[in-house]
């Protein structure tokens, strides 16, 4: 890697590669896997998820024993409970793909400091692709700087998504969104690992992405990689409060505005009415330029850094997503 990396990012990369080695070894003999379901059908966990998570947590806490942990399989059982630093971990995003031998899955590790994501790693062990970013220092794939695409028209855009899969998900609502976006873009894709989907937007493979039902560990790392690559990410109304809203849209600045216009009517977010009303402000790209006005559709609150409240993190350990 050509540029000097932040020590915490280096530790995250070491942890992600160690987890990736466990995943790659297990992928050679999938018939031996022990698979169980979580709280609902189609929601799988394997011994590989658990072993990968364990080695990530051990690596991180050996280097930073005073840090907090929010991990998909073990929640906040490890690490310091009240630290300003919280590692947000998905040890195997795309478990359903993995157990079927479909090679689209990833390790996702993000570090939040006082609720703001500062370091991010998403590692694709099947391709040995390492996406990473430090706040303010750009986004990279392996040792090459990545940027979102330059496409501006939805009609030319390739959009990624994730389908609902649990009993109780609102399939009818999703199908309306699917139909609307599908008829407006050049193509819609659903590989099945949200962490990689976000990185694909950052690298310019997709021009945008949207999904419902995601948890913080699915999107924390990818959210920083997106913004450091010059893209925008928010909830369906275009606001930056998305990590705990179970809906996310990410895209190039111009495509983002058009996706928000389409998806805002489907948002589950209840808008806060503050006494001190802030003027609507469009999200900014990495370079500081304002996004198109459409990106601020139905956004009554001032945009700020993405913040993860500790109370939200503590309650985030519910159902999995992006399998």
């Amino acid at each position: 890697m050509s540029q000097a990396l932040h020590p915490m990012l280096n530790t995250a990369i070491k942890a992600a590669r160690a987890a990736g080695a466990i995943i790659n070894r297990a992928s050679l003999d999938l018939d031996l896997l022990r698979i169980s379901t979580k709280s609902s059908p189609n929601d799988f966990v394997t011994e590989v998820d658990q072993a990968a998570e364990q080695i990530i947590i051990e690596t991180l806490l050996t280097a930073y024993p005073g840090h907090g942990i929010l991990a998909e399989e073990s929640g906040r059982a490890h690490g310091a409970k009240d630290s300003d630093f919280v590692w947000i971990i998905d040890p195997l995003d795309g478990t359903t793909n993995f157990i079927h031998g479909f090679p689209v899955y990833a390790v996702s590790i993000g570090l939040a400091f006082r609720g703001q994501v500062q370091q991010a790693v998403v590692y694709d062990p099947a391709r040995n692709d390492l996406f990473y970013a430090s706040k303010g220092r750009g986004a990279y794939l392996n040792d090459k700087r990545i940027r979102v695409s330059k496409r501006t028209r939805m009609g030319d855009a390739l959009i990624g998504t994730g389908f609902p899969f649990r009993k109780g998900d609102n399939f009818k609502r999703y199908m309306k969104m699917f139909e609307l976006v599908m008829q407006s873009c050049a193509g819609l894709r659903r590989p099945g690992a949200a962490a990689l989907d976000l990185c694909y937007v950052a690298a310019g493979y997709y021009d945008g992405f949207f999904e419902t039902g995601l948890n913080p560990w699915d999107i924390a790392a990818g959210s920083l990689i997106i913004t450091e690559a010059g893209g925008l990410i928010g909830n369906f109304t275009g606001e930056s409060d998305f990590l705990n809203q179970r809906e996310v849209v990410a895209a190039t600045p111009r495509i983002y505005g058009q996706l928000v216009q389409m998806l805002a009517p489907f948002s589950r977010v209840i808008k806060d009415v503050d006494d001190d009303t802030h003027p609507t402000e469009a999200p900014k790209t990495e370079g500081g330029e304002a996004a198109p006005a459409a990106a601020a559709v139905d956004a009554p609150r001032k945009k700020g850094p993405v913040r993860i409240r500790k109370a939200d993190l503590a309650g985030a350990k519910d159902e999995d997503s992006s399998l």
Side-chain angles (χ1 to χ4, degrees):
M1 297 172 190
S2 54
Q3 80 284 16
L5 299 182
H6 191 285
M8 292 181 184
L9 181 62
N10 263 326
T11 301
I13 289 171
K14 178 183 175 183
R17 289 196 182 279
I22 289 173
I23 293 165
N24 275 341
R25 282 197 299 272
S27 73
L28 300 176
D29 217 339
L30 291 172
D31 290 343
L32 299 181
L33 268 188
R34 287 195 298 272
I35 302 165
S36 55
T37 58
K38 294 185 184 178
S39 55
S40 63
N42 303 336
D43 207 353
F44 301 107
V45 63
T46 71
E47 58 198 326
V48 178
D49 296 71
Q50 293 160 341
E53 183 169 295
Q54 183 177 352
I55 199 165
I56 291 169
I57 292 171
E58 285 176 3
T59 303
L60 298 177
L61 291 184
T62 298
Y64 302 104
H67 285 193
I69 299 286
L70 174 67
E72 180 180 1
E73 306 307 336
S74 59
R76 292 183 66 92
H78 303 280
K81 300 295 182 286
D82 297 314
S83 175
D84 285 337
F85 290 95
V86 179
W87 293 95
I88 308 172
I89 301 161
D90 191 337
L92 179 51
D93 184 36
T95 300
T96 300
N97 285 349
F98 174 75
I99 64 180
H100 286 84
F102 185 63
V104 180
Y105 39 81
V107 180
S108 177
I109 305 173
L111 174 64
F113 174 68
R114 294 181 178 171
Q116 190 173 353
V117 182
Q118 300 277 335
Q119 310 293 338
V121 176
V122 175
Y123 180 51
D124 175 350
R127 292 167 189 75
N128 195 25
D129 276 345
L130 186 76
F131 297 87
Y132 57 95
S134 290
K135 189 165 181 62
R137 299 185 65 178
Y140 292 81
L141 166 54
N142 301 322
D143 59 353
K144 183 180 178 183
R145 183 80 182 260
I146 54 175
R147 299 286 296 179
V148 296
S149 83
K150 293 181 170 62
R151 292 190 184 86
T152 59
R153 294 180 60 255
M154 272 295 290
D156 300 328
L158 185 64
I159 305 296
T161 190
F163 303 147
F165 59 89
R166 297 183 205 87
K167 184 178 180 182
D169 282 339
N170 193 332
F171 293 99
K172 289 184 179 177
R173 171 173 165 267
Y174 184 84
M175 290 307 294
K176 289 177 183 175
M177 284 189 280
F178 183 84
E179 184 177 5
L180 187 62
V181 175
M182 184 171 58
Q183 293 183 72
S184 305
C185 69
L188 207 52
R189 300 291 182 267
R190 200 287 188 195
L196 279 179
D197 286 325
L198 293 173
C199 292
Y200 290 173
V201 175
Y205 304 161
Y206 293 155
D207 306 296
F209 169 76
F210 71 97
E211 187 167 352
T212 60
L214 293 174
N215 288 304
W217 46 82
D218 299 307
I219 52 182
S223 69
L224 179 64
I225 293 169
I226 286 270
T227 55
E228 288 296 319
L232 296 173
I233 184 165
N235 61 35
F236 284 2
T237 63
E239 297 165 87
S240 62
D241 182 19
F242 63 88
L243 271 164
N244 299 287
Q245 300 294 354
R246 304 184 68 77
E247 62 181 45
V248 68
V249 56
T252 73
R254 294 290 292 275
I255 299 298
Y256 182 85
Q258 295 166 71
L259 275 173
V260 165
Q261 283 187 315
M262 281 187 271
L263 297 175
F266 300 96
S267 177
R268 293 178 177 175
V269 177
I270 298 171
K271 300 173 188 60
D272 296 334
V273 180
D274 299 327
D275 292 335
D276 53 333
T277 308
H278 298 297
T280 296
E281 179 184 308
K284 298 287 195 296
T285 63
E286 177 205 8
E289 65 269 27
V297 171
D298 286 334
R301 291 180 294 174
K302 188 174 180 178
K303 303 295 181 295
V306 173
R307 297 211 172 271
I308 315 164
R309 296 178 295 274
K310 285 186 180 178
D312 291 326
L313 290 180
K317 187 74 190 78
D318 48 18
E319 47 197 334
D320 182 30
S321 59
S322 185
L323 289 174

